[in-house]
Amino acid sequence: MESIIKKIEAEISAWSPQGGSEEVGIVRATGDGIAEVDGLSNAVMSEMVLFDPTFDRTLAEALKDPSPVYGLVLNLEEDGVRAVILGDASKIYEGMLVRRLNRLLSIPVGEPLVGRVVNPLGEPVDGKGSSGATEMRPIEREAYGVIDRAPVNVPLHTGVKAIDAMIPIGRGQRELIIGDRGTGKTSIAIDTIINQKNEPASTRPVCIYVAIGQKESKTAKLVAELEERGAMEYTIIVTAPASAPAALQFLAPFAGATIGEYFMEQGRDALVIYDDLSKQAVAYRQMSLLLRRPPGREAYPGDIFYLHSRLLERAAKLSKERGGGSLTALPIIETQEGDVSAYIPTNVISITDGQIYLEANLFNKGQRPAINVGISVSRVGSSAQTKAMKKVAGKIKLELAQFRELEAFMQFSSDLDAETKKRIDAGRRMTEVLNQGRGVPLPFHMEAAVIFAATNGYLDAFSPEEVGAVEATLQEYFSREAPDVLAAIGESKEISGQLEKTLREKLDTFVARHGSETSSART
């Protein structure tokens, strides 16, 4: 092997159109998706390199290869570099030529990507041909500073009543969705994408869904659902499946952030969902150990916090001087047995502006979404709510938290006083109102009208068991007999004066009609 390397080094020094060992190196060893490269003494961190089996062609000719294999420099060492292989590692062998590309890892961005499924390098993988995107942007960049940002005060409606009422998300916010496997984390994210169909086209955000380490069948099913619901027309899917190298799973969230930043800098709104960062952390741990970086807690490298912070800090609401665009981030973290105090969950909780915690026990009881209102929080809060939602949902969170405490206490007491029983029934009604199945996000005006009815006592005539069916009937009633009221709420974003009076009249009519029907059916 040494004689082969010496022979190649002699050939490189004889053929050095771009500066010998400063621009060209050779693979010393390769394995597990990592290449050790001799030479490249001028290489920089996060620079792209090209693995080229041919000596007698220029760099321009090498880049025309139909299936080039790139690498990403991540370790700068005394006698060379270590690079992760971004592609088919089986094509890389000892003694192979490696060329510097003199640019940081960049991907194509722009409008042509909308409606497409791409890999973390921006290459389409949906079988629909080239995307046509030509503008290239570095996959990593410094986040905007405080001066360039504006307060987060415009709501991003998810269409999920429980979230829009109690844990509002603003455009430019970072809201963590956390919970055990199979508790509905992805469902909330997908419902949020689908719900943007209910927003005016002028203010509708471009949605980017980043699938990290997911089964390809799951991603294909998701794409089919979004196409069926008409949501792919404003959505981009970035996929790094479980079969992809760890390097691509590590890069996928950064690719999603880079694509989102393009739209943000155009003065538009964008939403990026990272599903999920637990798998990115595992991929980064794998890469770091193979790169011989020292392991820390749970074998994660010491800079794992920095990995997620520099990613999530890129979410922002820009100032008017910067165009006023926004990038909202919804990272997802999977917990083990509900342990939010583990390493990666605590890291991401401390970086984000709040968390939506989904609890397995609530999920198993049939609550959808299974949100634990006690430890779920939005640190932006009512700043990201419309006046209408503030008015109707102001006390819900506190009342539900108190109801949970009473419900736990109730298990140990068979005899309840009238006041306690009344509060427990009220809590059960509200829980039923906030229950919502997957794939049926509600427009903002419908959410506001339904929650107004619940918080103003219009559903008290019905037992908690009847509320679910009554609410579905109420939605049909509003759509059929009060579309002007819904339109007015959606346009004005508040419920006051004559509009509130009209809404109360409609609700009185509904209760008079359906309350009597329910009571007669009960008897």
Side-chain angles (χ1 to χ4, degrees):
M1 182 61 203
E2 287 183 15
S3 59
I4 295 174
I5 291 178
K6 283 178 181 177
K7 181 183 176 185
I8 293 171
E9 284 175 337
E11 289 186 40
I12 289 174
S13 54
W15 177 86
S16 55
Q18 299 185 44
S21 65
E22 295 177 356
E23 303 294 332
V24 181
I26 56 170
V27 176
R28 179 173 64 211
T30 179
D32 296 313
I34 306 293
E36 297 177 34
V37 181
D38 278 339
L40 300 182
S41 54
N42 280 357
V44 299
M45 274 290 284
S46 298
E47 181 180 359
M48 286 184 78
V49 293
L50 175 68
F51 295 96
D52 187 9
T54 309
F55 285 89
D56 57 351
R57 60 180 177 180
T58 65
L59 180 60
E61 289 172 336
L63 288 170
K64 290 177 183 175
D65 192 305
S67 56
V69 180
Y70 295 105
L72 178 67
V73 175
L74 284 182
N75 270 26
L76 303 178
E77 298 173 355
E78 191 174 347
D79 55 349
V81 301
R82 287 178 194 257
V84 294
I85 300 164
L86 305 175
D88 186 357
S90 64
K91 293 182 179 180
I92 311 304
Y93 53 85
E94 294 175 13
M96 194 175 193
L97 189 70
V98 185
R99 305 168 185 258
R100 280 187 69 196
L101 295 184
N102 290 293
R103 64 183 173 92
L104 299 179
L105 177 59
S106 303
I107 62 167
V109 298
E111 203 69 44
L113 292 181
V114 177
R116 303 299 302 272
V117 182
V118 299
N119 67 16
L121 300 179
E123 301 164 343
V125 291
D126 52 8
K128 297 179 181 177
S130 171
S131 68
T134 54
E135 183 176 341
M136 303 292 288
R137 291 205 176 190
I139 207 165
E140 287 221 47
R141 54 158 290 175
E142 194 174 333
Y144 280 98
V146 174
I147 304 302
D148 295 321
R149 298 178 183 237
V152 174
N153 53 21
V154 179
L156 178 90
H157 292 123
T158 65
V160 180
K161 289 171 289 186
I163 294 175
D164 292 340
M166 298 185 292
I167 316 154
I169 298 171
R171 300 192 180 204
Q173 189 176 344
R174 301 156 297 177
E175 183 77 14
L176 171 64
I177 302 173
I178 184 168
D180 282 4
R181 182 182 180 87
T183 50
K185 302 184 297 298
T186 301
S187 297
I188 288 177
I190 300 310
D191 282 354
T192 302
I193 293 177
I194 293 171
N195 187 59
Q196 303 317 306
K197 190 83 176 172
N198 296 322
E199 297 291 309
S202 58
T203 59
R204 182 182 298 151
V206 175
C207 299
I208 302 129
Y209 177 81
V210 184
I212 311 157
Q214 308 285 348
K215 290 189 291 187
E216 290 184 78
S217 59
K218 180 183 175 183
T219 305
K221 187 177 177 183
L222 166 67
V223 172
E225 181 183 358
L226 292 177
E227 283 178 342
E228 185 184 333
R229 302 292 291 271
M232 274 304 286
E233 64 190 42
Y234 53 83
T235 302
I236 302 165
I237 308 288
V238 180
T239 178
S243 59
L248 292 181
Q249 293 185 43
F250 150 69
L251 290 172
F254 291 99
T258 301
I259 293 168
E261 278 178 335
Y262 167 83
F263 296 101
M264 175 176 72
E265 290 169 4
Q266 306 295 312
R268 297 166 65 183
D269 294 317
L271 165 68
V272 60
I273 293 157
Y274 306 115
D275 189 7
D276 64 66
L277 293 188
S278 308
K279 292 187 175 69
Q280 188 206 19
V282 169
Y284 188 58
R285 173 171 63 183
Q286 177 185 331
M287 280 172 36
S288 297
L289 293 172
L290 291 169
L291 288 165
R292 302 289 188 269
R293 293 179 179 177
R297 178 178 166 186
E298 297 172 32
Y300 287 104
D303 63 345
I304 191 79
F305 182 92
Y306 180 52
L307 170 78
H308 286 148
S309 64
R310 72 179 190 262
L311 168 70
L312 294 169
E313 285 292 340
R314 291 165 71 173
K317 173 81 166 71
L318 295 185
S319 63
K320 287 183 180 178
E321 293 75 19
R322 287 283 185 176
S326 72
L327 177 63
T328 309
L330 294 182
I332 294 174
I333 287 286
E334 183 180 305
T335 54
Q336 306 293 327
E337 294 294 322
D339 184 13
V340 293
S341 63
Y343 189 28
I344 302 303
T346 50
N347 274 356
V348 183
I349 285 171
S350 63
I351 295 165
T352 48
D353 306 314
Q355 67 275 346
I356 298 167
Y357 176 52
L358 304 178
E359 193 174 339
N361 288 340
L362 294 175
F363 186 87
N364 294 335
K365 283 181 184 177
Q367 187 174 321
R368 303 286 189 279
I371 296 174
N372 180 324
V373 294
I375 64 172
S376 298
V377 65
S378 169
R379 296 189 186 104
V380 171
S382 60
S383 300
Q385 278 182 315
T386 60
K387 288 182 178 178
M389 194 58 81
K390 278 185 201 177
K391 178 170 183 173
V392 303
K395 296 178 182 177
I396 289 181
K397 190 171 184 184
L398 178 62
E399 288 176 0
L400 272 183
Q402 290 174 340
F403 162 65
R404 294 271 172 246
E405 294 294 326
L406 281 173
E407 192 179 34
F409 169 73
M410 185 184 70
Q411 296 174 21
F412 306 102
S413 176
S414 57
D415 189 23
L416 297 174
D417 62 86
E419 181 62 27
T420 305
K421 188 174 187 309
K422 184 180 176 183
R423 290 180 68 178
I424 287 174
D425 283 348
R428 283 178 174 164
R429 279 191 202 92
M430 187 54 70
T431 301
E432 286 298 323
V433 168
L434 296 179
N435 255 1
Q436 192 168 342
R438 183 187 181 282
V440 285
L442 292 182
F444 156 73
H445 48 74
M446 183 65 81
E447 287 182 321
V450 168
I451 295 171
F452 180 90
T455 54
N456 284 276
Y458 287 99
L459 301 182
D460 291 356
F462 309 97
S463 69
E465 293 75 19
E466 296 166 338
V467 165
V470 169
E471 190 218 334
T473 308
L474 178 61
Q475 289 182 31
E476 292 174 14
Y477 171 78
F478 276 132
S479 300
R480 186 178 62 252
E481 299 191 26
D484 52 334
V485 175
L486 295 179
I489 294 172
E491 191 175 334
S492 67
K493 302 290 191 291
E494 58 180 308
I495 302 173
S496 60
Q498 183 59 41
L499 180 56
E500 181 177 352
K501 184 181 176 184
T502 307
L503 181 58
R504 287 184 180 277
E505 288 171 357
K506 294 290 183 183
L507 285 167
D508 285 333
T509 305
F510 174 82
V511 172
R513 184 184 306 171
H514 294 276
S516 57
E517 290 175 7
T518 309
S519 59
S520 60
R522 216 181 287 153
T523 54

